[in-house]
Amino acid sequence: MRRTLRFTRLLLAGIAAGAVAACSAAPTVPAAGDAGTPVSGGTLTWAVETEPITFNPHQYAQAKARLLVWNSFEALLTHDDQGGFVPWLATGYEAAPDGLSYTVKLRTDVTFHDGEKFDAAAVKANFDQLLAPNYAPAVAAVQLKNLKSVEVVDPATVRINLTAPDVLILDFLASPQGAQVSPKSLRQAANLKAGGVDVVGTGPFTLSAYTPGQQVVYQKNPAYQWAPANAGHTGPAYLDKVVYRFLKEPSVRVGALTSGQVQLIEGVPATDQELIDTSPQLALHKQLNSGSAYSYFLNVGHAPFDDVRVRQAFRYAVDVDAVLQAVYRGTATRAWSIVGPTSPLYDKGYEGRHGFDAAKANQLLDEAGWATRDGEGFRTKDGKRLTLRLVQSAPFVRDRRDVLALAVQAAVKAGAGIDLKVSVVDQGTALKAFEDDQYEVFDNSRADTDAGAALNLLLASTGAINRTGYRDPALDALLAKGQATGDPAARVQVYHDIQRVVLTDQALVIPLYAPADQIAASRGVGGVRFEPTAGVPAGAYGIWIAK
């Protein structure tokens, strides 16, 4: 039997011991339900909310696109349902006693879809590509900031050397950005950053066709034999083909499911969940995501949010419970911190704090000099209206966040006389607004399996998506300490300190809700599951269609 490793976060913390823990990864076997026992064959049509902006996993940035990544690409490690790690393309790893290197043993029976051999040289080629100038700068600057070098020890062994202990490096090895791309693709793809049929991995499906704006098609990889121990089965995928149709409008997705045009959808709006739940032909599955909560990040780089009193006032002016109820009808989980509630780093002590208080919001705005009102009831200062701009990038809008923004807009106008301008624009327009500092509010959530990885991107002075503009050496030091600290209890305390700075001391963030995913499927579809730890829909490897 192949030797497997399952490292809990506690054992991860024990890198100083340099020991390799060996135990079995319990398989996550999906419930058969009405679909009976697994059978092979057939084509599944799955309607998804989000069209990927890239099919190259190194460039991954949309949580909703994650379910597509693992169809055709795989990583060295994957997660179990307790936040630990299970070998995937690796067979195990060993940490050096000083935490400055990891020696990773690799499977020797894996080939890429284009026939290239998966080996240590391929792993090094992927790291080299990730560090190439202008290829994946955010990954190089954040996830791999402590990477010193990657050595090919032998064809089945690589050694990852670090400049400093880094407990997030294993999380990277299990992430989409750490997925393995064929070296031939890295050398020869027509558009490597965009991905497509000529950017291939080792997964159970191959991407065979992509029609922008319509669909992407995956075909079974009949040679597949290297699923991780917790995949639920071994060998090739059950399905022959999977067609993902891009249906952005929730009502269209639900209509396609109830009419039988598709057999499975993700992203079920609150207004339709009862319909799905009560249908004898359909089944609804829900799970909270890992990572950071969906939050509004406040740009402190210019007025009015350069004044902490205005930031606090904006937060007090939002009746979060009321806007969530209006938009999600009781199906959303309120967020109280920038860290999602399923994370071990979450500070539960923030629950119930910093809630809605219109009187406090108005008092703070008066103190900040926004004490007069114009003819429409908006607050003014020196003849200028208190206007805030929320710029939403369309490819990242999910869960009706555009509708939620309009509810917040109405709430802050009524509660405190704040003029929130909401615009949903294409990705290029959004990026230009951010680059030109033409915004006051930035919205974001991330489904990173370790919330610390998300906070490095969002809060560090050099973070790729630090759009608060807040740069503080003391906060950077806390983030670095969290990345280097192996002891779980000590690490939790570090992230509690970070949440205090962000939420209480500086009021940089307004947490809104904990992202979740919903899958609705015909009861003839079996093997529907969520990705362990991440809580997002898994790929199609374990799915079958009843005969």
Side-chain angles (χ1 to χ4, degrees), residues 263-516:
Q263 296 130 306
L264 192 153
I265 66 172
E266 60 84 23
V268 182
T271 49
D272 290 308
Q273 290 187 16
E274 183 177 357
L275 168 69
I276 303 294
D277 248 348
T278 56
S279 169
Q281 285 81 39
L282 303 173
L284 179 66
H285 313 266
K286 298 185 285 187
Q287 189 156 325
L288 288 174
N289 299 165
S290 61
S292 60
Y294 177 65
S295 305
Y296 284 177
F297 294 79
L298 311 185
N299 181 357
V300 305
H302 58 254
F305 282 149
D306 56 348
D307 186 332
V308 69
R309 293 171 297 183
V310 182
R311 302 198 295 271
Q312 292 168 336
F314 186 53
R315 185 171 62 194
Y316 283 125
V318 182
D319 188 341
V320 175
D321 289 326
V323 297
L324 293 181
Q325 179 62 33
V327 178
Y328 300 119
R329 301 188 181 189
T331 64
T333 299
R334 175 171 180 168
W336 293 98
S337 170
I338 185 175
V339 175
T342 63
S343 170
L345 307 178
Y346 175 64
D347 187 348
K348 192 176 176 63
Y350 276 97
E351 295 182 2
R353 296 170 63 182
H354 305 308
F356 171 63
D357 189 336
K360 186 69 173 176
N362 283 289
Q363 176 193 334
L364 287 163
L365 291 175
D366 287 342
E367 293 173 1
W370 296 92
T372 53
R373 302 225 183 202
D374 63 18
E376 296 182 57
F378 292 113
R379 285 182 171 269
T380 60
K381 179 180 180 180
D382 300 330
K384 184 178 179 181
R385 178 182 286 184
L386 179 51
T387 298
L388 309 172
R389 293 164 294 179
L390 167 60
V391 179
Q392 296 183 302
S393 176
F396 291 87
V397 173
R398 52 173 285 191
D399 305 339
R400 303 179 77 215
R401 289 174 178 178
D402 48 346
V403 178
L404 178 62
L406 297 179
V408 173
Q409 179 187 63
V412 297
K413 177 184 179 182
I418 296 172
D419 181 19
L420 177 65
K421 302 287 190 188
V422 179
S423 56
V424 181
V425 298
D426 62 79
Q427 173 73 343
T429 302
L431 288 175
K432 187 170 191 322
F434 300 143
E435 290 168 2
D436 294 345
D437 200 25
Q438 296 298 308
Y439 68 100
E440 284 74 40
V441 184
F442 167 67
D443 67 326
N444 185 270
S445 67
R446 291 189 57 83
D448 300 273
T449 44
D450 190 308
L455 300 192
N456 283 348
L457 288 163
L458 291 160
L459 301 176
S461 293
T462 58
I465 49 174
N466 175 3
R467 297 201 169 108
T468 66
Y470 184 76
R471 293 177 175 82
D472 176 14
L475 180 56
D476 290 341
L478 282 173
L479 291 165
K481 186 176 181 181
Q483 189 164 357
T485 300
D487 177 70
R491 189 163 186 254
V492 166
Q493 185 54 55
V494 171
Y495 283 97
H496 283 194
D497 290 343
I498 291 170
Q499 289 167 80
R500 173 182 50 75
V501 171
V502 171
L503 296 168
T504 300
D505 296 354
Q506 296 299 326
L508 298 174
V509 172
I510 301 177
L512 292 173
Y513 73 91

Side-chain angles (χ1 to χ4, degrees), residues 53-114:
I53 55 177
T54 174
F55 289 97
N56 179 336
H58 293 167
Q59 307 290 324
Y60 161 85
Q62 298 158 287
K64 283 282 192 176
R66 186 172 173 126
L67 64 95
L68 300 178
V69 170
W70 301 129
N71 281 337
S72 53
F73 296 95
E74 300 177 298
L76 300 183
L77 306 173
T78 188
H79 283 278
D80 64 19
D81 58 5
Q82 299 298 313
F85 293 95
V86 177
W88 195 349
L89 294 180
T91 59
Y93 63 89
E94 182 175 356
D98 60 4
L100 291 176
S101 70
Y102 288 83
T103 301
V104 183
K105 301 294 289 185
L106 307 174
R107 295 187 65 119
T108 58
D109 57 349
V110 178
T111 56
F112 290 96
H113 299 155
D114 57 11

Side-chain angles (χ1 to χ4, degrees), residues 526-542:
V528 174
R529 66 194 286 258
F530 293 90
E531 197 178 314
T533 297
V536 300
Y541 174 67

Side-chain angles (χ1 to χ4, degrees), residues 120-134:
V123 175
K124 185 176 188 309
N126 274 264
F127 274 102
D128 290 346
Q129 183 63 49
L130 285 163
L131 296 176
N134 302 316

Side-chain angles (χ1 to χ4, degrees), residues 44-49 67 245 247 249-258 262-269 272 276 282-285 518-522 528 537:
L44 177 78
T45 304
W46 181 335
V48 295
E49 183 175 9
L67 64 95
R245 293 180 59 193
L247 300 180
E249 292 300 323
S251 60
V252 176
R253 287 195 303 278
V254 173
L257 178 67
T258 55
V262 304
Q263 296 130 306
L264 192 153
I265 66 172
E266 60 84 23
V268 182
D272 290 308
I276 303 294
L282 303 173
L284 179 66
H285 313 266
Q518 313 85 30
I519 300 175
S522 162
V528 174

Side-chain angles (χ1 to χ4, degrees), residues 22-36:
C23 58
S24 296
T28 305
V29 181
D34 295 346

